[in-house]
Amino acid sequence: MQDNNNAARHHVEAMYAQDACAQNMGMHIEHIDIGFARLSMKIVPNMLNGHQSCHGGILFSLADTAFAYACNSEGKAAVASNGNIDFIRPALVGDQLTATAAVRHQGKNTGLYDVEIINQNGKVVAFFRGYSYRLSHPISGNTEEKNQPNCQGEQS
């Protein structure tokens, strides 16, 4: 099991090294395993909306990133085919959020993953469900990814 965990961490760390969006948002990898990812992020003032709570798009990005790392943890390139989020309570400036993604089903090509975002007090902030589709290549050595737009729409 330890070898699988090390392989999963290696795959995700390779993705994170290329993930300018996650890095710029201050996301940190806390734990990785096959079909599992836990990330954390602190809410800072530039993440707030007009109500002075964390913008929903920021929460979606955190959940989507945890989902992406969980569904790519086996080293097979996977992308989201769908994702939705339910906001439960606001996150405020200074909150330390943790997103935990876990596989519910992984078939040959499609997967289903659930993500829970909690704050530093253990209170649920949001639930996310993501559906993945596996591509026909491994995540390492994927030259197509290098020409895809990043979080700000710029070429990597």
Side-chain angles (χ1 to χ4, degrees), residues 6-130:
N6 288 338
R9 186 154 188 91
H10 171 77
H11 298 309
V12 171
E13 286 176 348
M15 285 184 66
Y16 183 79
Q18 299 295 315
D19 194 341
C21 189
Q23 291 175 34
N24 286 328
M25 291 178 72
M27 294 181 201
H28 300 282
I29 299 170
E30 301 295 329
H31 184 76
I32 299 296
D33 207 336
I34 297 295
F36 180 89
R38 186 170 48 244
L39 299 155
S40 65
M41 179 178 77
K42 185 173 184 175
I43 302 305
V44 296
N46 68 352
M47 296 176 172
L48 301 181
N49 62 24
H51 297 291
Q52 295 303 289
S53 62
C54 183
H55 192 286
I58 300 291
L59 296 174
F60 190 98
S61 293
L62 175 60
D64 185 50
T65 302
F67 158 59
Y69 292 173
C71 68
N72 281 276
S73 62
E74 292 184 57
K76 298 174 183 176
V79 294
S81 63
N82 192 10
N84 58 15
I85 193 165
D86 293 303
F87 302 110
I88 306 303
R89 69 176 30 86
L92 305 172
V93 71
D95 281 354
Q96 182 70 32
L97 303 183
T98 302
T100 303
V103 62
R104 296 296 174 232
H105 170 76
Q106 181 59 63
K108 180 180 177 189
N109 293 316
T110 60
L112 171 64
Y113 293 75
D114 285 330
V115 182
E116 179 183 69
I117 300 175
I118 61 170
N119 65 20
Q120 69 279 1
N121 299 317
K123 301 284 188 179
V124 174
V125 172
F127 292 109
F128 173 97
R129 175 159 274 190

